[in-house]
Every structure is written in C-alpha cells, then in structure tokens.
Amino acid sequence: MPALDLRKIWRMGLKELRSLARDPVLVLLILYTFTFAIHAVAHGVRTELRDVAVAVVDEDRSALSRRIAGAFLPPYFQPPRMMDARQADAEMDAGRITFALRIPPGFEADLLAGRVPQAQLLVDATAMSVAGAGTRQAAAILRDETAAFLGRGAAAGAPAIAASVRASFNPNLESAWFVAVMQVVNNVTILAVILSGAAVIRERERGTIEHLMTLPLRPAEVMLAKIWANGLVIVAAAVLSLELVVRGSLGVGLAGSSAFFALGAAVYLFAACALGVMLSTVATTMPQFGLLAIPVFVVMNLLSGGVTPLEAMPPLLADAMRLSPSTHFTTFAKATLFRGAGLEAVWPELAAMAAAGAIFFAAALARFRKTMAAQR
C-alpha cells in the first residue's frame, strides 16, 4: 500500500482554508462561538446565590422579626419585600420572587417564653440552581439572628472543632469561571462536527467532489486535509478565546497552560472532525446533516461530565459515555486548565481520545470511499 503524500494533504488543506475564508456565514459562526457566546453564557448562567428576590410576611411585627428581615442582605438577596401572605403567593406564582419567609404572630413571645416557634419558608424550587443554597442561607439567618437576639452568640455555643473550607481554585466560587471554560470545551465539539461535515457537504452540493475524483488523490488524503485544516482553525480560535475572553475579559485565573490545552484539543479534534466527516457521508444535504449532527453533539456535550458528573449518571450510561472522546476531553480540559495538571496526569485521556479518533477515522474513511465511488 503506497504511503500518503503529505504534500497533497498540505495543499488540499490550504484549499480548505481558502474555501472556509470565502464562507462568511461559517466565519461569523466561529467568531461568535468563541467570543460573544462564551461571554454571554458565563455572565448569564449563574449557579451561586446572588441577588435573589425574597419576600417577608411579618405577622409578628416584633423587634426580632424586623431583625430577621433586615438580615437578608446583598449580594445574596435583594432587599426583602414586605407583604402579606396573599401577595406573597401571587408574586411567587408569577415568578417574581424565589423565597417567601412567613413569621407567624407570637414568634418573639414564644421564643422568650422558652418555646420553639416555627417560621415557614416557601421556596420556588423551579429555580433549581439557587433553591438549595438559598434555603440553607435562610435557615442560617434564622438560627443566627434568634441566637443573637437571645444573647447566645457564636462564642457561647461555639463547637470544640470548627471546619474551615478553602477553595484552591476559584476561591470566590464564581460560576462564571467554570461556565466559561466549559463553554469553550463544548463549542470545540460543536464546531468540529459542523465545520468538518460542512466541508464534505459543500463539495457535494457545489459539484466539486467530481473534480477531486479526477485528481491523483486518495480518499484518506482528502479526509486528512479537511481534518487538519478545520482542526487548525478551531484550535487557534479556542486558544485565542481562552486568552482574550476567558483570561482577559472575564478575568478567570486559569492554572494551566493554553499551549498544553491546544495539544490535547488537537488530539480531540482528530476524533471530532473524523466524526463530522462520517456523519456527512450519511447525510446528502446540509439540512439533513444539521438534523443528524445536532443530537450527536448535544448528547456529547450534556453527558461528557461537564454538566453532570459521570458518578451521578446510571452506571450503564456512565460506562457508555466513557467511550466518547468528548468525555475524555472534558476531563483533560478540567485537569489542565483548572488544576494545572501535566502530561503524567492526563496521558490516559490523550490516549483514549487518540484511540477514539482512530476508530472514527477508519469508519469515516470506509464511508467516504463508498461516497466517492458512488459519484464515479
């Protein structure tokens, strides 16, 4: 079997880059995906408790109830809105408040009499990202304020051992740090599948695939040219996004090297672009390819471990997703960028991505040969 001609692969790749540069829609998609999309999602998707709307139904109207209401402070909560129970129900039904604290009559008197009064906290659990944290924070406010009111501060009942938690990465636990990096990782997958697949569909729709068959080119050389050209564009865009948007604009303190991340991204893109080419040999038009590709990269992104840990998935599903290169790329990206891990820690992920790439490339090449043969 003759060896692949690297000069032909290089020249075909340059042709792919020129073709991509002449497609303004795809160029704008790349620019948008790695700039505004990351910035908007990082600031728009928050999982920590911040500026949450809360209502207080004060039926006790005592010094203690006013003290509790005044303890709901920024940045966790908005200034509490004082209203009656009917108004609180209506506001919560309309989605304008997330928490409603009802302090019943005689709350302070029962506390001073040595009884255990109860307050009711209504939670809009559809706000999943803040419901749990807000409930814990509200419970802490009730506990601390009643203890302080009775003169039993922290010193009076301090435990013998106190836990002190320090976050080594992202010390302020800003969700934008995590969301921005994961958005870059997810966008690499999306663009890899779209650009590589669109490159093949574009050849077929424009009729240029017949011209390729008249050239002394082997299907493997055509595929490798499309993979390296589109992969190079995505790696460059991802690295620039990490430096200019994630580090620069968002101020995320990444512990790892962008150059090492680019190495892992190149290995992953070999697999993802090969997958895109394989899907393009199944579809015959861009609309068909889009309908086929969307569920593929949506599943790859949602179940890669970036949104939901693999440990939280059913065992069978978790084992199946460990066969996906996106799962290993997510693990690689988090270890490299968040913890500054080196090659000794992430080489299994690189090996798994390379193995998946070889399998996808072999399958895509078999399909691509059939496609080119059918055009003869």
Side-chain angles (χ1 to χ4, degrees):
M1 181 178 178
L4 297 175
D5 192 330
L6 296 181
R7 290 178 300 176
K8 293 178 181 178
I9 296 174
W10 170 256
R11 290 168 183 166
M12 278 291 298
L14 294 179
K15 190 272 293 183
E16 287 296 322
L17 292 176
R18 289 192 294 269
S19 177
L20 176 61
R22 290 193 294 269
D23 193 327
V25 175
L26 289 180
V27 171
L28 287 175
L29 175 64
I30 295 170
L31 293 175
Y32 168 80
T33 301
F34 285 106
T35 54
F36 179 78
I38 293 173
H39 199 282
V41 172
H43 279 296
V45 178
R46 291 192 175 274
T47 57
E48 70 267 15
L49 192 67
R50 176 168 296 183
D51 293 330
V52 178
V54 58
V56 175
V57 180
D58 186 4
E59 297 176 344
D60 189 35
R61 301 187 181 278
S62 62
L64 177 57
S65 63
R66 289 190 295 270
R67 181 181 186 130
I68 292 172
F72 287 87
L73 298 172
Y76 301 121
F77 299 98
Q78 297 177 11
R81 307 176 193 177
M82 310 302 294
M83 56 185 68
D84 59 34
R86 183 174 298 178
Q87 289 174 320
D89 287 340
E91 291 292 294
M92 183 165 286
D93 289 342
R96 287 188 284 267
I97 60 172
T98 306
F99 299 98
L101 176 64
R102 178 175 175 269
I103 304 176
F107 184 85
E108 179 184 304
D110 288 343
L111 183 70
L112 292 175
R115 292 185 287 270
V116 181
Q118 294 184 351
Q120 183 183 43
L121 180 68
L122 301 178
V123 182
D124 180 5
T126 60
M128 295 187 304
S129 61
V130 298
T135 301
R136 291 190 296 271
Q137 185 70 17
I141 289 174
L142 279 169
R143 182 187 63 247
D144 295 344
E145 293 303 319
T146 52
F149 179 77
L150 294 175
R152 302 170 186 171
I161 299 176
S164 179
V165 179
R166 295 180 177 86
S168 58
F169 174 80
N170 192 2
N172 293 327
L173 301 179
E174 293 284 343
S175 63
W177 286 34
F178 178 78
V179 171
V181 173
M182 287 300 100
Q183 192 68 12
V184 172
V185 171
N186 292 341
N187 289 347
V188 166
T189 300
I190 294 172
L191 283 183
V193 174
I194 290 178
L195 292 186
S196 59
V200 176
I201 298 292
R202 189 167 53 235
E203 300 276 12
R204 186 182 297 125
E205 290 184 338
R206 294 176 180 175
T208 53
I209 195 167
E210 289 84 359
H211 296 290
L212 292 178
M213 291 187 300
T214 63
L215 299 174
L217 292 170
R218 298 163 59 188
E221 292 169 345
V222 176
M223 271 189 55
L224 286 173
K226 294 183 181 299
I227 288 174
W228 85 251
N230 290 287
L232 177 64
V233 172
I234 298 171
V235 168
V239 171
L240 287 174
S241 179
L242 283 176
E243 293 298 327
L244 300 180
V245 179
V246 179
R247 289 187 197 265
S249 179
L250 296 173
V252 177
L254 299 179
S257 163
S258 295
F260 189 54
F261 171 79
L263 171 65
V267 177
Y268 172 66
L269 283 167
F270 172 65
C273 288
L275 175 61
V277 173
M278 184 173 67
L279 295 177
S280 70
T281 61
V282 177
T284 57
T285 64
M286 277 301 295
Q288 288 181 358
F289 173 72
L291 292 174
L292 184 63
I294 288 173
V296 171
F297 60 66
V298 166
V299 171
M300 290 176 67
N301 285 343
L302 290 180
L303 301 181
S304 65
V307 177
T308 302
L310 291 180
E311 294 78 8
M313 300 179 189
L316 185 61
L317 179 60
D319 292 338
M321 288 310 301
R322 288 188 178 94
L323 302 176
S324 170
S326 63
T327 301
H328 298 284
F329 182 52
T330 299
T331 303
F332 166 84
K334 290 194 292 186
T336 301
L337 297 177
F338 290 166
R339 298 187 291 273
L343 182 61
E344 70 283 354
V346 297
W347 71 263
E349 313 304 329
L350 294 173
M353 288 188 288
I359 295 172
F360 285 152
F361 183 81
L365 182 58
R367 290 282 313 172
F368 191 64
R369 280 173 175 160
K370 291 181 180 179
T371 300
M372 293 190 70
Q375 299 291 328
R376 295 184 185 275

